Amino acid sequence: MRAVNWFTPAIALARIAWLRTVLYLFVILDMHAFVRDTRDKGEHPGLYQPLLLARLLDLPKPSVANTTALYFVLIAACLVGASNYFPRVAGWIVAPAFTWWVLIGMSDGKVDHDHLALVIALWVLPTVGGARRGRASYGDQTRSEAAGWAIRCIQICVIATYFLSSIAKLRSAGWVLTWPGSAVLTWAIVRRPHPVGEWLLHHPWMLHVMQWVGIIGEFCSPVILWLKGRWQLLGALFFLGFHAANTAILLIHFLPTVVCWLAFAPLERIVPWYKARRSDDAGETEHQPEQGREAQQQAGT
């Protein structure tokens, strides 16, 4: 029973509403900035090598017609979903459409594992309805186990991105100490030169420390799922710093995973905090004229 409760915590629907808006808008960005060559694959279908999932689902080869249709369907559905109107309808369109978009875009053999949490998030978000729609949904404090299940799925996939990465490193290296003790960061910097990384080449011990910290952090990442409050925040900040360092050294970002870290954030508190702040400001504004009148009366006496 405790395990079931852990998988389905009661979470406010407002967090789902905020995630819909952020993630659906991010999908549009992703289509233009990251997985942006899907339509190019449609113009050159001879180069298409379907991934395993595409073969299992027997998806058709990309063409100008189907990739163009896919593009406009995704844009329209993402905009509707981001508005929190018709969340189930829009969500069930975006999830399979973006999965197909990614399968085509990554059919050249390089599968980016930073999209794991994002794709899963798009599949679980439509499972959650909402008592309110549109702008009102951002402040919906109705607690739902369905919302908790969706949030937990996203959180698990975020953490799995790091943990499975550490397992892959250890498997490819053949021994626990091989990868962190290697010169893999040196090789990566030489392959992708950047001023910060080139400066670090003169300090190899720092690169080894970073490799050890990185793989230990990835291997221990599942602990974050059971942390709470400030400790969980510190865990999230560690990995956000990890990505900031990768960007600074290698110009490698993990934005599709980074944006999914919002599943750990108490986004449902934004609207109550904003309303409380406005009420406090309104109270101060009303109080100031009263103080002014009292001062004038005292001056007159």
Side-chain angles (χ1 to χ4, degrees), residues 6 21 47 51 65 67 89 153 165 167 175 186 189 217 291:
W6 184 84
T21 298
L47 302 176
L51 298 174
T67 56
V89 175
C153 287
S165 176
I167 298 300
W175 178 244
T186 302
I189 293 171
Q291 290 179 337

Side-chain angles (χ1 to χ4, degrees), residues 263-284:
F264 289 88
L267 302 174
E268 62 272 16
R269 299 180 186 176
I270 294 177
V271 171
W273 172 85
Y274 179 70
K275 289 182 177 179
R277 185 69 179 270
R278 286 189 62 184
S279 62
D280 291 342
D281 292 342
E284 291 178 1

Side-chain angles (χ1 to χ4, degrees), residues 102-296:
V102 169
L103 287 174
I104 295 173
M106 297 184 184
S107 63
D108 52 6
K110 181 180 180 295
V111 179
D112 298 328
H113 59 293
D114 62 348
H115 278 70
L116 170 63
L118 177 60
V119 171
I120 296 301
L122 298 179
W123 279 99
V124 297
L125 284 177
T127 65
V128 185
R132 303 178 185 178
R133 293 185 178 183
R135 293 176 58 184
S137 61
Y138 299 116
D140 191 349
Q141 300 301 311
T142 306
R143 294 194 168 270
S144 165
E145 292 184 353
W149 178 82
I151 293 294
R152 189 67 80 195
C153 287
I154 301 171
Q155 292 176 345
I156 290 173
C157 289
V158 168
I159 297 302
T161 302
Y162 304 101
F163 182 72
L164 295 178
S165 176
S166 68
I167 298 300
K169 290 183 177 70
L170 297 179
R171 287 185 60 189
S172 62
W175 178 244
V176 175
L177 304 179
T178 302
W179 191 92
S182 68
V184 63
L185 264 182
T186 302
W187 170 80
I189 293 171
V190 172
R191 180 170 171 264
R192 302 172 66 99
H194 188 260
V196 178
E198 291 176 335
W199 176 80
L200 286 171
L201 289 177
H202 301 289
H203 306 278
W205 66 271
M206 295 180 65
L207 295 175
H208 282 289
V209 169
M210 293 172 67
Q211 289 175 194
W212 275 103
V213 171
I215 196 166
I216 291 173
E218 288 181 334
F219 190 77
C220 297
S221 58
V223 175
I224 294 178
L225 292 171
W226 283 272
L227 297 179
K228 295 182 179 180
R230 294 181 179 179
W231 289 107
Q232 190 175 76
L233 174 62
L234 289 175
L237 290 176
F238 169 82
F239 282 103
L240 294 179
F242 172 81
H243 293 305
N246 274 338
T247 303
I249 297 170
L250 301 171
L251 292 180
I252 296 176
H253 68 84
F254 258 64
L255 283 181
T257 300
V258 170
V259 73
C260 289
W261 272 101
L262 287 173
F264 289 88
L267 302 174
E268 62 272 16
R269 299 180 186 176
I270 294 177
V271 171
W273 172 85
Y274 179 70
K275 289 182 177 179
R277 185 69 179 270
R278 286 189 62 184
S279 62
D280 291 342
D281 292 342
E284 291 178 1
T285 304
E286 293 175 358
H287 190 58
Q288 286 174 357
E290 293 178 0
Q291 290 179 337
R293 286 193 296 269
E294 292 177 359
Q296 289 177 358

Side-chain angles (χ1 to χ4, degrees), residues 28 31 69-83 90 93-94:
I28 297 176
M31 293 167 59
L70 191 61
Y71 173 83
F72 286 107
V73 166
L74 268 171
I75 296 294
C78 283
L79 291 175
V80 173
S83 70
I93 294 174
V94 172

